[in-house]
Amino acid sequence: MRPVITVIITLILLSVSSSISAQYSSVKIEQKVDSVLALMTLDEKIGQLNLPAAGDISTGLAQSTGIIAKIKEGKVGGLFNIRGVERIREVQKVAVEESRLGIPLLFAMDVIHGYKTVFPIPLGLSCSWDIEAVERSARIAAQEASADGIAWTFSPMVDLSRDPRWGRIAESGGEDPYLNSEIAKAMVNGYQGDDLSKENTLMACVKHFALYGASEAGRDYNTVDMSRLTMYNVYFPPYKAAIDAGVGTVMASFNEVDGIPATGNKWLMTEVLRNQWGFDGFVLSDYTGINEMIDHGVGDLEAVSALALKAGVDMDMVGEGFLLTLKKSLEEGKITEEDINKACWRILEAKFKLGLFDDPYRYAQPDRARREVYTDSNRNAARKIAAESMVLLKNEGDILPLKKEGTIAIIGPMGNNRENMQGTWSVAGDHQKSITLLEGVKEVAGENVNVLYAKGANFVSDPELEARFSIFGKNTYRDNRPEEEILAEALEIAEKADVIIAAVGEASEMSGESSSRTNIEMPDTQRRLLKALLDTGKPVAMVLFTGRPLALTWEAEYVPSILNAWFAGSEAGYAIADVLFGDVNPSGKLTATFPQNVGQIPIYYAHKNTGRPLEGEWFQKFRTNYLDVSNEPLFPFGYGLSYSEFKYGEMTLNKTSLKGEESLSVTINITNESETDGKEVVQLYIRDVVGTITRPVKELKDFQKVFIPAGTTKTVSFSITTDDLKFYNYDYENMAQSMKYDWEPGEFIIMVGRNSDEVQSQSVIWEK
Ligand code: BGC
C-alpha cells in the first residue's frame, strides 16, 4: 500500500476510536497534512508548488510528454486547462499510481463565466444586479466543471476598474466596490457551496490580488500607483469580501503595488492578506508572474522565486521558478525549509479539503459529466440570466419591443457569427454550439416573421488590427470584397425590411486579456454601416456587442434604439431575441460608466468633489471641467431603461437626526405606470459631507431589484446602520503602520434613485 494512503487510514482509525467533537474534523485534516508532509522529500515538497499548464497533454500521448514525466517524479502539484473527464482521469491515474507518494493532482481551469453552458461575461452579469442569479451562474458552472474533472477555478475576478481602455474590464463587475463585493461573495458561495469536499463544488480563486484594474492608461499588465487610502476604501473591498466568504485560494496580480510587484510583495501577500484579513488558504502566482519580476527589475530567476515564496506565494503557475531555483536558494540560506513546508502544507491542505485524498477521481465522473453538463435546464438558466444582464440604453419612439410580424433584417458583423457570441474566457465552451442572433431571432419571432441577414461591414477596416483580435481562432469571417460592395449588398436586404436590427460592436477578442484599446468608439466600418442603415429611413434597433463601456456619443445621438447585449454566453442569441421581442423586459443597469469620449477616462460616479467643483452649468473658468466636453458621462453608473415606466415617489426617512447605533430607515414607493410588468433596480447612495479625509460625492450602499407588475406600486425599504458609514482611515496615532475602519459623526446625504445621476436626496445628522 502507498505510504500516503497508509498514513491516512491510520489517522482515520485513530479519529474513529477517539470520536470527539465536530471541531475534531479540522484537526484531523491538519494531522493528515502533517503526516503526509513528514513523508516527503524536499524535491517532492517543491514539486507540489508547481502548476504547469496542460497544453501538451493529449489522450494516448499523455505518457510521453514532459509533464507526465514530471508528474511521475512528483514534480507537479496540479495542472490547469486540461479538458475532458477522460483525459483528467488518465493523468490523475499517473499521479496516484506512478509517483512515489501517490499524491493526487489538483485540476484547475479558467471557469470564469460558465463551463460548457456559458453565462454572460462578468461585466454583463454584474449589470443584472441580481446577486442570486450571479450565485446561480457560479453554482451551475461548478456543477458542470466538477463533473468534468475540474476541482478548482481561477474565478472570481474582482479587479475593480474605472478604465474601459483596459480590455479586462470585461472580466470584473465594473467600477463600484460595494457591488463588486456583493458579487465576489455570491461567486465564492456559488462555486464552493457549503462543503468543499462535495463532488459538485469547485474551490474558487479570487484574483488578481491586487489592483490590477488600475493599470496606468488602461494598458494591460501596466504599472499601478495608488494611495493606501484608495486601496483600502475602493479597490481592496471586493477581494476582502471573497476572503470573508471563505475563498480557498488567491491569485497574485501581474502589476506592481506600491513599487513592488504584487507577486513579491510581502506587505500585500502576508501583512494585508493573512495578518489583517485572516486568509488561510494558499496563494498562486499568475501565469509566469514570478518570472516576470525579472523584467519588473527586482532580480534574476533565483532571486524573484525566493522573493515570491518569502512574500507568501505558495504555488508557481507555469514559470517553474520554484522548481528550478528553490533548492539552491535553500542551500544558500536565502529561504528556509520552513518556508517551503508552509507553502506545501497549504496546498496539501486544500487537496484534503477537496476530498482528493479520499477519492482522487471525485471530480472526474464520466457518468456525471454525461448527465450534468450542458443540460437543457442549465441552458435555460443561462438564457434567463443572459436576458437579465442586458441594458437598454435608448429607446426613442418605442421601436422596441419588436412586433412578431413583417420582415426583419439583421445586419452587421455580429448578426450571424457563432464563434464570437460567448465572449472572453469561455475556455470549455463549444463555440460551434452557441446560438447566433439570427438563429435566436428566427426562433423567438416564430413563423410569421420573415428574417433576413447581411453582414454589412467587417468589424474594422484595417486587416492587421483584425488579425490582432483573431488570435484564438474566434473567426471574424473577414470579407475581403471592397467595403462598398459589402454595404450595397446589405442595403438591398435592408430595403426589403420593415425593421432593421443592427448587430454591431466588438468581436469578442477586442476585449479581455491583452486587448486594451485607445479608441473605444464604434469602429469606422460599422459606424459607416449604421449611417447608411439610418439613411434608409427605416426604424433601426442597434444590438451592441461589447466587453467594455464604449464611447458611443454619435450612436446615442442618432440611433433611436440601443440594446447593450454585452457578450451574453452560449444562449445569447435566444436571450437577445427574448428582450428584443419583449418576452423579457430589460432590467439591466450599467455597472461601469460610459464616457462621452476617451479623454474623460478615468470617469466614475464616486469621484471626489475637489476644491473647485463645477456647480451649475458647464463651462466655468477656474473650475474642475474641460474646455471641449462637459463632465457628464454618456451613460452614468446604474443607468438602464425598461419597457415599463417607473415613477419614483418621494422618499421618506424615519428620522433626520440619529445617535450612535440607531438605524435609519429609508422608504420609497415606486409605481409601474405602464402596461408592462417590469423589474427595477432601486439604488441607495450616501455622501459623507465632512470627513477627516475627503470622501466621494456619493457611494452605493445598497440596492434592491424589485418586480413591479403593471399598474401597481411597490414600497421599497432600506435600513442603514453605522456600518454603512464606515471607511478606512490612517490610524494617526500609529501613523502609516495600520488602518482603522470606523465612521465619523456629522451630516450625511441619503440619496435614492434609478441611477447614480437621477437621485433624490435628504440630509441627516448622525452623532456618535
Ligand atoms: C490570466 C489569469 C488566468 C491565467 C491562467 C493569465 O494570463 O491573467 O487570469 O487565470 O492566465 O489561464
Side-chain angles (χ1 to χ4, degrees), residues 338-609:
E338 186 45 31
D339 294 328
I340 295 171
N341 285 349
K342 234 194 274 175
C344 183
W345 199 97
R346 290 172 182 148
I347 292 162
L348 293 176
E349 186 196 30
K351 293 183 178 185
F352 272 108
K353 282 187 175 166
L354 283 162
L356 286 168
F357 279 97
D358 298 327
D359 176 7
Y361 305 101
R362 171 160 296 178
Y363 303 96
Q365 303 294 335
D367 278 5
R368 259 193 73 207
R370 277 188 289 276
R371 276 195 323 267
E372 294 180 27
V373 177
Y374 197 64
T375 60
D376 285 350
S377 111
N378 291 353
R379 292 182 59 199
N380 276 334
R383 177 173 176 169
K384 281 204 185 102
I385 292 171
E388 293 279 312
S389 72
M390 291 174 199
V391 186
L392 184 63
L393 295 174
K394 188 178 171 192
N395 196 19
E396 221 172 65
D398 290 338
I399 290 182
L400 296 178
L402 300 175
K403 296 191 183 64
K404 292 181 180 174
E405 62 187 36
T407 298
I408 295 176
I410 300 178
I411 298 178
M414 282 300 290
N416 191 24
N417 185 310
R418 203 173 293 288
E419 291 88 336
N420 280 270
M421 291 304 275
Q422 299 190 358
T424 184
W425 280 130
S426 41
V427 176
D430 181 347
H431 298 135
Q432 294 309 325
K433 283 190 180 158
S434 53
I435 307 301
T436 65
L437 181 58
L438 180 60
E439 277 168 341
V441 167
K442 278 187 177 163
E443 164 92 16
V444 174
E447 283 167 6
N448 293 336
V449 181
N450 183 21
V451 186
L452 308 172
Y453 161 76
K455 182 165 180 179
N458 284 312
F459 282 98
V460 292
S461 52
D462 177 3
E464 286 176 21
L465 171 58
E466 187 155 338
R468 276 179 233 128
F469 59 76
S470 309
I471 287 176
F472 292 124
K474 291 179 185 163
N475 202 334
T476 51
Y477 295 98
R478 188 167 181 85
D479 188 333
N480 289 318
R481 288 178 295 162
E483 218 173 87
E484 303 73 48
E485 208 176 309
I486 307 171
L487 182 60
E489 176 187 82
L491 291 176
E492 246 176 66
I493 299 283
E495 271 316 311
K496 298 183 188 144
D498 303 308
V499 178
I500 298 166
I501 298 175
V504 293
E506 294 191 319
S508 73
E509 279 183 48
M510 287 170 83
S511 47
E513 187 170 348
S514 190
S515 295
S516 296
R517 292 173 64 197
T518 63
N519 177 351
I520 55 168
E521 293 188 24
M522 184 64 72
D524 49 4
T525 44
Q526 300 189 65
R527 171 80 57 77
R528 283 194 283 276
L529 171 65
L530 281 169
K531 272 186 189 153
L533 296 177
L534 290 170
D535 284 347
T536 63
K538 310 227 170 189
V540 176
M542 170 171 141
V543 175
L544 175 66
F545 293 83
T546 181
R548 53 155 58 83
L550 296 176
L552 297 173
T553 303
W554 185 90
E555 289 72 17
E557 182 166 356
Y558 296 107
V559 183
S561 188
I562 305 177
L563 176 71
N564 184 6
W566 303 108
F567 289 102
S570 51
E571 312 308 310
Y574 292 140
I576 298 168
D578 289 338
V579 176
L580 288 175
F581 290 102
D583 293 358
V584 175
N585 187 353
S587 61
K589 302 237 184 183
L590 297 178
T591 58
T593 304
F594 274 47
Q596 295 185 58
N597 68 26
V598 80
Q600 287 184 309
I601 297 169
I603 181 169
Y604 49 94
Y605 83 91
H607 61 83
K608 304 281 187 80
N609 205 36

Side-chain angles (χ1 to χ4, degrees), residues 80-81 110 154 168 207-208 251 254 286-287 317 425 513:
F80 75 99
N81 287 355
D110 287 285
F154 301 149
R168 301 197 79 172
K207 68 187 190 185
H208 307 82
M251 188 187 294
F254 287 126
D286 201 347
Y287 201 107
M317 192 199 290
W425 280 130
E513 187 170 348

Side-chain angles (χ1 to χ4, degrees), residues 202 244 415 442-443 445 582 606 643 763:
L202 291 181
D244 291 343
K442 278 187 177 163
E443 164 92 16
Y643 298 149
S763 150

Side-chain angles (χ1 to χ4, degrees), residues 283-304:
V283 177
L284 163 78
S285 81
D286 201 347
Y287 201 107
T288 62
I290 293 175
N291 316 53
E292 290 174 26
M293 288 198 284
I294 302 170
D295 282 327
H296 274 284
V298 294
D300 60 14
L301 187 62
E302 187 186 342
V304 295

Side-chain angles (χ1 to χ4, degrees), residues 102-402:
I103 299 175
L105 295 170
L106 199 47
F107 289 96
M109 186 182 272
D110 287 285
V111 180
I112 310 287
H113 49 110
Y115 186 68
K116 282 258 188 302
T117 304
V118 181
F119 294 91
I121 55 167
L123 184 59
L125 190 59
S126 70
C127 291
S128 71
W129 296 63
D130 184 339
I131 298 302
E132 200 258 323
V134 170
E135 181 167 337
R136 197 165 354 117
S137 75
R139 184 86 287 281
I140 291 172
Q143 213 130 18
E144 291 196 354
S146 65
D148 216 17
I150 306 297
W152 180 27
T153 174
F154 301 149
S155 173
M157 188 280 216
V158 297
D159 300 322
L160 192 140
S161 183
R162 295 170 163 186
D163 193 334
R165 290 171 297 185
W166 190 52
R168 301 197 79 172
I169 196 171
E171 295 177 48
S172 86
E175 73 183 46
D176 185 67
Y178 176 75
L179 184 60
N180 265 299
S181 301
E182 293 297 299
I183 291 170
K185 265 188 273 177
M187 296 290 284
V188 172
N189 291 337
Y191 288 133
Q192 298 196 160
D194 54 4
D195 178 358
L196 216 46
S197 73
K198 281 193 184 153
E199 62 171 17
N200 62 359
T201 53
L202 291 181
M203 181 166 68
C205 177
V206 66
K207 68 187 190 185
H208 307 82
F209 193 58
L211 320 179
Y212 185 24
S215 312
E216 281 179 0
R219 198 160 66 229
D220 214 352
Y221 320 118
N222 207 7
T223 308
V224 171
D225 195 2
M226 187 185 289
S227 76
R228 289 214 174 167
L229 286 174
T230 302
M231 290 183 204
Y232 276 85
N233 283 314
V234 182
Y235 285 79
F236 278 173
Y239 306 110
K240 182 168 185 298
I243 307 299
D244 291 343
V247 71
T249 59
V250 170
M251 188 187 294
S253 58
F254 287 126
N255 54 281
E256 66 176 64
V257 171
D258 216 357
I260 302 173
T263 313
N265 193 319
K266 190 165 186 178
W267 173 76
L268 190 67
M269 294 302 169
T270 298
E271 172 53 23
V272 176
L273 188 61
R274 294 192 186 276
N275 299 347
Q276 295 179 13
W277 297 354
F279 174 66
D280 64 358
F282 75 80
V283 177
L284 163 78
S285 81
D286 201 347
Y287 201 107
T288 62
I290 293 175
N291 316 53
E292 290 174 26
M293 288 198 284
I294 302 170
D295 282 327
H296 274 284
V298 294
D300 60 14
L301 187 62
E302 187 186 342
V304 295
S305 303
L307 186 68
L309 186 75
K310 280 281 186 197
V313 171
D314 304 299
M315 196 178 232
D316 175 357
M317 192 199 290
V318 175
E320 301 204 336
F322 280 179
L323 199 66
L324 298 173
T325 69
L326 286 189
K327 213 169 168 184
K328 186 151 176 270
S329 289
L330 180 64
E331 283 158 16
E332 290 167 358
K334 292 176 184 154
I335 58 168
T336 63
E337 184 149 5
E338 186 45 31
D339 294 328
I340 295 171
N341 285 349
K342 234 194 274 175
C344 183
W345 199 97
R346 290 172 182 148
I347 292 162
L348 293 176
E349 186 196 30
K351 293 183 178 185
F352 272 108
K353 282 187 175 166
L354 283 162
L356 286 168
F357 279 97
D358 298 327
D359 176 7
Y361 305 101
R362 171 160 296 178
Y363 303 96
Q365 303 294 335
D367 278 5
R368 259 193 73 207
R370 277 188 289 276
R371 276 195 323 267
E372 294 180 27
V373 177
Y374 197 64
T375 60
D376 285 350
S377 111
N378 291 353
R379 292 182 59 199
N380 276 334
R383 177 173 176 169
K384 281 204 185 102
I385 292 171
E388 293 279 312
S389 72
M390 291 174 199
V391 186
L392 184 63
L393 295 174
K394 188 178 171 192
N395 196 19
E396 221 172 65
D398 290 338
I399 290 182
L400 296 178
L402 300 175

